[in-house]
Amino acid sequence: MRYDIFALALAPLVAGHGAVTSYIIGGTTYPGYTGFSPSSSPKTIQYQWPDYNPTMVVTDAKMRCNGGKSADLSAPVAAGQNVTAVWPQWTHAQGPVMVWLFKCPGDFASCSGEGKGWFKIDQMGMWGTQLNSENWGTAIVMKNLKWSSEIPKNLAPGNYLIRHELLALHQANTPQFYPECAQIVVSGSGSASPPAEKLFSIPGYAPQNDPGVTVDIYTSKATTYSPPGGDVWSGFQY
Ligand SMILES: *[C@@H]1O[C@H](CO)[C@@H](O)[C@H](O)[C@H]1NC(C)=O
Ligand SMILES: [Cu+2]
């Protein structure tokens, strides 16, 4: 039957990709979105996303939060606490994990992550010297189906978007970006914020031809890898 053929053809694609579908903070699980937008229920802390498919071009608007916009809920987190993102499935073992924050100037409803305000708080690229290996941040996600990051201890409190980004590099010169965003309210007595050189706009944090984006992991002679968008900001006061 036609319908069956269609379903069979789609199944491997769905199985091969992934997205964050919940968050664990301080022992509490906050359900995220489980696809596919638009949907009116249930309310979540996460921006709705349309499907499991990757974003392939760095200038695509979906680079920011996989196409979503402000969510109805938010989760409290103390500076210094961990946020753990959970993926129900993930199958790519080459490419970095990057975790970003964006400080909203006001409430979440009027915050879309627009402007040069995104900064990395965590990332893992490659260890060892072989691009075509499983020594990658995304290989850890493949194994554990989760990723924990500490909110910098002295980060200024406020409303933040947290963006988990997996960049899959298993297809030569064909990067696949998988970003999702959620809303967190950071508490604490810190006052730190990142310096200007750690702040980026998304989309736009790296060019398509960045060597950390467009790379052939099978033929490249490179023995090191630098994730696009530079280093993390660890929370030092400037
Ligand atoms: C918190 O996250 C960090 C990584 O940023 C990890 O090293 C640490 O083990 C985590 N702590 C807990 C209690 O999960
Ligand atoms: Cu995939």
Side-chain angles (χ1 to χ4, degrees):
M1 274 163 57
R2 269 190 102 130
Y3 180 82
D4 290 332
I5 290 165
F6 186 61
L8 278 174
L10 280 181
L13 279 178
V14 171
H17 304 314
V20 178
T21 54
S22 64
Y23 301 84
I24 303 168
I25 303 171
T28 302
T29 297
Y30 295 88
Y33 192 60
T34 49
F36 298 125
S37 69
S39 166
S40 56
S41 67
K43 296 185 188 321
T44 74
I45 68 167
Q46 191 184 41
Y47 278 34
Q48 291 190 6
W49 35 267
D51 52 48
Y52 286 131
N53 293 331
T55 299
M56 319 287 287
V57 178
V58 298
T59 51
D60 192 322
K62 285 178 71 192
M63 274 296 282
R64 190 179 296 158
C65 295
N66 199 5
K69 48 185 192 227
S70 297
D72 293 305
L73 306 179
S74 58
V77 53
Q81 214 175 8
N82 277 8
V83 173
T84 301
V86 178
W87 289 258
Q89 58 178 46
W90 180 252
T91 55
H92 307 307
Q94 288 90 26
V97 177
M98 298 174 271
V99 184
W100 302 73
L101 293 181
F102 178 94
K103 188 163 199 246
C104 292
D107 59 14
F108 287 117
S110 56
C111 180
S112 64
E114 180 75 36
K116 201 174 166 188
W118 289 97
F119 56 97
K120 281 182 188 169
I121 59 163
D122 190 18
Q123 71 180 354
M124 183 169 288
M126 181 188 76
W127 65 94
T129 56
Q130 274 220 292
L131 293 177
N132 181 17
S133 71
E134 299 203 351
N135 299 334
W136 287 93
T138 50
I140 295 175
V141 172
M142 188 169 118
K143 177 164 172 273
N144 297 339
L145 295 177
K146 59 188 177 183
W147 187 267
S148 290
S149 307
E150 187 182 295
I151 301 299
K153 284 185 179 62
N154 55 353
L155 180 69
N159 293 339
Y160 287 83
L161 306 180
I162 187 165
R163 175 177 179 274
H164 287 85
E165 175 177 24
L166 305 182
L167 167 52
L169 300 173
H170 59 288
Q171 282 194 292
N173 298 316
T174 311
Q176 301 185 350
F177 296 89
Y178 299 84
E180 282 81 36
C181 299
Q183 298 174 169
I184 56 172
V185 180
V186 175
S187 60
S189 55
S191 58
S193 57
E197 70 265 22
K198 299 275 188 184
L199 296 174
F200 293 88
S201 296
I202 300 177
Y205 74 80
Q208 189 76 21
N209 66 359
D210 186 292
V213 170
T214 298
V215 55
D216 181 341
I217 63 164
Y218 307 101
T219 62
S220 169
K221 303 245 187 319
T223 55
T224 60
Y225 172 85
S226 299
D231 296 330
V232 305
W233 175 68
S234 55
F236 294 116
Q237 181 69 65
Y238 285 81

